[in-house]
Amino acid sequence: MRVYGYMRVSTEEQGDSRAGLEAQESAIRSEVERRGWELVDLRHDVASGKSLRRRDMLGETLRDLAAGKAEALVVAKLDRLSRSVLDFAGIMETAADEKWSLVVLDLGVDTTTANGE
């Protein structure tokens, strides 16, 4: 399965230090390797999690998933993808409509499986 990894930190200092990004990247890479998936790309934004706005790499990733360039999106922690229940629900609905899967490692959300759907 081809997947995108997505990471986010909230501040420029966190982006510059890469500390938060490195932990997220390690978790994503470990899971992708464990499952034998292909990591197409690992993308990140430095932006607030309150909204999906101003998160260019997330927008690009969602468009690439819609275009069929990968079959799943993997994130290490839900709050790195969204802090809004409505935004998360919207992403889940989009994934179902467009036939790609979502894996959120810290919550065990995994729509790549029948049970996860």
Side-chain angles (χ1 to χ4, degrees):
M1 177 178 290
R2 296 171 304 144
V3 304
Y4 284 107
Y6 177 75
M7 309 172 300
R8 182 187 63 79
V9 291
S10 301
T11 67
E12 289 294 332
E13 289 99 17
Q14 290 171 327
D16 291 344
S17 76
R18 298 225 10 108
L21 292 173
E22 288 174 1
Q24 292 174 65
E25 180 176 348
S26 176
I28 292 168
R29 286 188 184 279
S30 292
E31 187 66 12
V32 167
E33 183 178 327
R34 184 183 76 79
R35 295 192 188 204
W37 291 343
E38 175 190 348
L39 184 61
V40 174
D41 198 6
L42 194 57
R43 298 174 175 173
H44 76 274
D45 283 308
V46 177
S48 170
K50 292 179 185 176
S51 168
L52 298 180
R53 294 186 185 118
R54 295 188 209 101
R55 292 171 61 189
D56 297 338
M57 293 311 297
L58 178 58
E60 181 178 324
T61 302
L62 296 175
R63 286 188 297 277
D64 286 347
L65 286 160
K69 294 182 180 179
E71 291 79 40
L73 174 63
V74 181
V75 295
K77 300 172 90 179
L78 176 61
D79 70 344
R80 303 296 83 197
L81 178 62
S82 174
R83 289 196 170 196
S84 160
V85 172
L86 290 176
D87 285 344
F88 179 63
I91 292 170
M92 291 286 294
E93 185 175 4
T94 298
D97 290 347
E98 295 176 354
K99 309 284 191 259
W100 50 269
S101 298
L102 180 62
V103 178
V104 182
L105 300 177
D106 69 330
L107 294 184
V109 171
D110 182 354
T111 65
T112 66
T113 68
N115 285 342
E117 286 183 357

